[in-house]
Amino acid sequence: MADLKVRIAKRCAKEFKDGEFVNLGIGLPTQVADYIPEDIMVTFHSENGFAGIDAVATENPDVDIINSGGTYVTAVPRVKYFDTAESFGLVRGGHVKATVLGAMEVAENGDLANWIVPGKKVAGMGGAMDLCAGCPEVIIVMLHTQKGTPKIKKQCSLPLTAEKCVSKIITEMGVMEVREDGIWVTELHPDYTKEDIQAATDCELHFDPNMKAMEEE
């Protein structure tokens, strides 16, 4: 499973262009910073108050540098720290180009559920609702299923974070775009067939005529 998450993070890291300002959510999204190509500069935002997240801290972490999920991270030399009000001002003002979030469920119309399972204790929604409303692009990175149960569904069964906000989904099986007429597979990993990804999905998938192989590197 760890290798599959790395695959997803590596593929997501290819989404960004030089100079972009992007938010990284907690969990799997934090790994994306580890794989940004060396020839481009992407500045990562954390809603708890800084711009310039680098890789997850693995040795001798600076205990004062954590992301919004409480994970120790490193920072790039150009890092900028600010208060929460300024951080959310950047998000709500449309200054963050994209957000990368995890998900429990995504519906075929782009609805997102990623913050609570009723009856279970959770930390809360955090900034996810603001990010979904304020960022022009919402990219979901997640494993395609949870213990064999599809996470891409006709309709979400869990409480929503936001409606019709998801623009792209990246899983270990492929890359999908949420369009007006449903979810379109634009890249399919060579480990899987069209039948495999459809069987792991609880709504009808469409396959782009120009669909290509999903690359890991």
Side-chain angles (χ1 to χ4, degrees):
M1 183 179 296
D3 289 344
L4 293 180
K5 289 183 177 181
V6 169
R7 173 192 296 178
I8 296 166
K10 285 182 175 180
R11 174 57 189 81
C12 185
K14 296 182 177 184
E15 287 294 305
F16 310 116
K17 298 180 177 63
D18 188 51
E20 290 185 336
F21 187 34
V22 177
N23 172 271
L24 292 182
I26 64 174
L28 175 53
T30 63
Q31 297 184 38
V32 174
D34 296 359
Y35 302 107
I36 295 298
E38 294 183 358
D39 60 343
I40 68 171
M41 182 182 72
V42 179
T43 301
F44 288 115
H45 167 273
S46 183
E47 63 263 31
N48 61 318
F50 72 102
I53 302 173
D54 204 357
V56 174
T58 55
E59 296 181 359
N60 301 317
D62 183 332
V63 296
D64 291 323
I65 304 179
I66 60 172
N67 64 15
S68 56
T71 299
Y72 293 123
V73 292
T74 56
V76 297
R78 65 183 185 279
V79 64
K80 168 71 174 178
Y81 299 101
F82 34 74
D83 62 30
T84 304
E86 183 173 350
S87 182
F88 278 88
L90 290 168
V91 173
R92 294 169 183 171
H95 301 289
V96 182
K97 191 263 182 186
T99 181
V100 182
L101 301 172
M104 298 171 184
E105 294 178 343
V106 178
E108 66 176 343
N109 69 344
D111 289 351
L112 171 64
N114 79 339
W115 76 281
I116 192 171
V117 175
K120 293 189 177 181
K121 185 177 180 180
V122 296
M125 185 174 286
M129 182 171 58
D130 293 88
L131 290 163
C132 289
C135 296
E137 187 175 5
V138 177
I139 302 170
I140 299 301
V141 291
M142 65 179 186
L143 294 171
H144 206 94
T145 62
Q146 175 67 30
K147 296 182 179 179
T149 300
K151 297 172 71 174
I152 302 174
K153 310 180 73 172
K154 184 78 174 175
Q155 293 182 319
C156 293
S157 61
L158 296 172
L160 296 183
T161 305
E163 296 180 345
K164 298 180 180 179
C165 63
V166 177
S167 48
K168 184 168 290 187
I169 307 167
I170 302 173
T171 75
E172 76 279 14
M173 301 184 82
V175 179
M176 291 143 277
E177 293 180 359
V178 180
R179 302 176 183 172
E180 289 292 331
D181 56 349
I183 295 178
W184 287 77
V185 182
T186 58
E187 298 178 25
L188 183 64
H189 194 277
D191 287 352
Y192 306 97
T193 64
K194 291 182 179 180
E195 292 74 21
D196 291 333
I197 194 171
Q198 181 60 76
T201 306
D202 194 31
C203 66
E204 181 183 1
L205 293 174
H206 308 280
F207 295 90
D208 192 286
N210 297 315
M211 184 181 73
K212 61 182 182 179
M214 175 179 169
E215 299 177 358
E216 293 188 50
E217 300 296 339

